[in-house]
Amino acid sequence: MKKNFFRYGVFIFLVFGLLTGCKENIDSVKNQSTSITKISAKKSTNQTTANHAKELVIKRDDVTGVRGVNTDKELLIAITVPQIDRFQLKTIEKNVKEELKKKYPDYKIEVSTDQKIFLELDILERKIEEGKTGKKELKKEFGNIKRLMKEEA
C-alpha cells in the first residue's frame, strides 16, 4: 500500500512539474518584445531616413528587432526575426529590401539578418546618439560594416 502511494505521488509530482515548465516556456514566447532604437535627427549626421525605415520594417510580423544607419546615399538595415521564422531568412531579407527600395529609391539599400551586423549597427547607433561620431568617422564605420556584410561565414 505504501509503495503504491509513493509511486502515485511521484507520478503526480512529475506531471505537475512538466506542465508547469511548459507553461512558462509558452508565456515567454508570447511576451517577446520588438526592438527598435531611434537616433536623434538633430546631430551632425542626419538619421531621419534610417529612423523612418526602422519604423516601417518593425511593423512586419516576421521582424522582432531593427537597427539601421544611413549616410547621404546609402542605408544599412539589420533585422532580427523570431526563431520560428529562421528558415525563411533570405526571403524575409529580400522582401524587406524590396519594400525599402520602393520607399527610398534614391538610396542604395543593404539589408542583413546576420546577428554580427545587428550588433555592429547597434554600437554605431549608440555612438551617433552620444555624438561621438562625425561624418568622416561614420563613413569609415559604415564601410567596415559593409565589408562585414559581404563576408560569408
Side-chain angles (χ1 to χ4, degrees), residues 51-68:
N51 288 336
H52 289 299
K54 289 188 288 187
E55 287 175 7
L56 183 70
V57 172
I58 200 67
K59 290 178 184 175
R60 295 176 55 100
D61 292 335
D62 52 1
V63 174
T64 57
V66 178
R67 296 291 180 265

Side-chain angles (χ1 to χ4, degrees), residues 1-14:
M1 179 76 171
K2 285 186 178 182
K3 289 183 183 178
N4 285 338
F5 181 72
F6 180 72
R7 286 182 186 162
Y8 289 127
V10 170
F11 178 74
I12 291 172
F13 181 73
L14 287 175

